[in-house]
Amino acid sequence: MVAGKCSKCDSMITSINIENIAGKVNGKDAWNCISYNCPSCNTILSIQIDPVALKTDTIDGVVQRLNR
């Protein structure tokens, strides 16, 4: 099992809390994102665009254009 340490509380991390978070570009365009949080102290360790939401948004956009 891969494990690491939290950069804030030094707890060993063998699992992670994943939460939804909004991302914005220049305060406008919203992106669905996810954050990876330490299960001990809830410090955000990383944030990225939500790959599932990105896939869904892409498919929905393509279907809308094809139906025009």
Side-chain angles (χ1 to χ4, degrees):
M1 177 184 291
V2 176
K5 284 189 174 184
C6 174
S7 58
K8 182 176 182 184
C9 71
D10 281 336
S11 293
M12 289 299 294
I13 297 175
T14 58
S15 65
I16 199 84
N17 293 336
I18 301 173
E19 297 182 12
N20 293 321
I21 189 167
K24 294 188 177 185
V25 178
N26 297 324
K28 299 178 195 174
D29 301 328
W31 291 85
N32 294 311
C33 298
I34 52 177
S35 66
Y36 299 99
N37 302 349
C38 172
S40 297
C41 69
N42 209 37
T43 295
I44 295 174
L45 304 172
S46 180
I47 296 174
Q48 72 176 44
I49 292 174
D50 183 343
V52 174
L54 181 61
K55 181 179 89 171
T56 301
D57 291 346
T58 301
I59 291 169
D60 291 347
V62 169
V63 168
Q64 284 177 0
R65 286 205 169 188
L66 290 174
N67 288 333
R68 288 186 186 169

